[in-house]
Amino acid sequence: MRVMVCRTILAVLAAAALLAAGPAVASAETQTATAGAVAATLSWTPGETEYSPVTGMRITITRGGALAYDAPVDPKGCEQATCPPGGSGEQSVTVGDFDGNGEPEVVVDVFSGGAHCCTISRILVWDGTRYVPRDRNWGNVGYRLQDLDGDGRPELVSADDRFSYLYGSYAASIRPVRVWVLRGRSLRDVTRSFPAVVREDRARNLRIARRQRGIARSAYAAWAADRYLLGERRAALRTLRRLARRGALRTDLGNNSRRAQRRWVSRLDRDLRRFGYWPRRGRR
């Protein structure tokens, strides 16, 4: 009996000691990427649970072993640096020569959280004396790095997030491809420079439109955007108007009458021109 009492007392004392010590503090985590003489280290402290915000996220960059940049990662939308890196634990810091000028850039990706949103990149460019940050919110679509033309400089392949919710529900939204490159401190849309990528996307969107007729309107919108980029506006409009007369441009939201579908074709044409898919005057 005396042994059992002693064991009980020891257990109570151990539990009290744990409570007094407070909750365990998560240790900092890091990711590092290098290119040439440039090395970047992303560090942060995870939250207590998978869904808790991270804290203390910083990016440190060295050039030839010397410290060149050390600052919080706090892009717009994640100003308190509470967004987890990358959103799903993959490599979230990249170092590479994106613009081919011989000077590596640093890209840090975070995820703002929420049902659908958002991947945000902090891009750090060396201007000769210091690193200058520039932020890019990719919205729901994110991006991937891919050297599309084999020139050794990766393009940032994404999609047009303006099409999210535009012609149907989020689940029914189909977005046309967009290709970006980093030039200096700016991202430039070069989708037109990759017609093979646009044609592949056009074929994919057409397959979706034909197979999933309940969301045909969203899929045909992305298909039309691709055709406009390829200089095929007139042919695309002929097809869309024929489909509207047949009642084939259906959406999972709103009016599916043939009259509404015809009106929608006119609206889509205005939207695509406003979005810059058909900016050249005199073309049809």
Side-chain angles (χ1 to χ4, degrees):
M1 177 67 70
R2 184 176 300 172
V3 172
M4 293 179 63
V5 170
C6 289
R7 287 177 176 173
T8 301
I9 293 172
L10 288 173
V12 170
L13 290 174
L18 288 173
L19 289 173
V25 178
S27 58
E29 296 188 11
T30 61
Q31 290 182 1
T32 299
T34 61
V38 176
T41 299
L42 178 67
S43 60
W44 71 94
T45 301
E48 295 181 6
T49 71
E50 179 183 356
Y51 303 102
S52 300
V54 305
T55 56
M57 188 182 295
R58 299 185 71 84
I59 184 69
T60 302
I61 306 173
T62 60
R63 295 170 52 82
L67 182 65
Y69 187 85
D70 181 14
V73 180
D74 55 355
K76 184 178 180 180
C78 294
E79 289 87 348
Q80 303 304 315
T82 57
C83 300
S88 58
E90 69 270 15
Q91 184 70 14
S92 298
V93 57
T94 304
V95 181
D97 185 3
F98 288 83
D99 55 10
N101 67 351
E103 179 62 50
E105 289 78 38
V106 177
V107 180
V108 181
D109 296 325
V110 298
F111 185 71
S112 67
H116 307 300
C117 237
C118 285
T119 300
I120 305 172
S121 297
R122 169 147 290 182
I123 303 170
L124 294 143
V125 179
W126 181 255
D127 70 355
T129 58
R130 62 192 178 100
Y131 280 98
V132 179
R134 183 191 191 282
D135 297 335
R136 168 72 183 191
N137 190 326
W138 300 96
N140 300 278
V141 295
Y143 75 97
R144 69 181 186 276
L145 293 174
Q146 187 175 352
D147 186 0
L148 296 172
D149 51 12
D151 65 353
R153 297 177 296 177
E155 283 74 38
L156 296 88
V157 183
S158 185
D160 194 336
D161 196 42
R162 292 174 294 185
F163 284 67
S164 295
Y165 305 100
L166 190 58
Y167 307 119
S169 65
Y170 178 82
S173 295
I174 310 297
R175 307 160 190 87
V177 67
R178 303 279 274 190
V179 181
W180 301 83
V181 294
L182 184 65
R183 294 292 181 264
R185 283 182 283 170
S186 300
L187 284 170
R188 185 181 303 171
D189 182 355
V190 294
T191 313
R192 279 190 174 85
S193 300
F194 296 93
V197 174
V198 177
R199 285 193 291 268
E200 182 180 354
D201 193 61
R202 177 189 62 186
R204 180 186 69 90
N205 293 328
L206 183 59
R207 288 194 298 271
I208 294 172
R210 288 174 172 173
R211 292 173 183 173
Q212 302 183 38
R213 297 182 179 182
I215 62 169
R217 195 174 298 184
S218 292
Y220 273 118
W223 168 87
D226 292 331
R227 296 204 66 177
Y228 277 42
L229 285 180
L230 294 168
E232 301 169 356
R233 173 176 174 258
R234 176 185 287 182
L237 286 173
R238 279 200 304 266
T239 299
L240 291 172
R241 287 164 181 157
R242 183 174 67 250
L243 291 168
R245 289 193 297 269
R246 288 166 39 197
L249 297 176
R250 302 187 64 81
T251 177
D252 62 340
L253 297 175
N255 189 342
N256 279 312
S257 71
R258 296 187 183 189
R259 181 180 179 184
Q261 291 184 30
R262 290 194 299 270
R263 288 200 304 266
W264 176 79
V265 172
S266 297
R267 173 198 165 187
L268 175 64
D269 182 51
R270 291 193 300 270
D271 287 346
L272 293 179
R273 286 182 287 155
R274 178 166 54 89
F275 289 165
Y277 283 88
W278 191 258
R280 302 178 182 86
R281 292 185 179 181
R283 298 190 64 177
R284 297 187 177 184

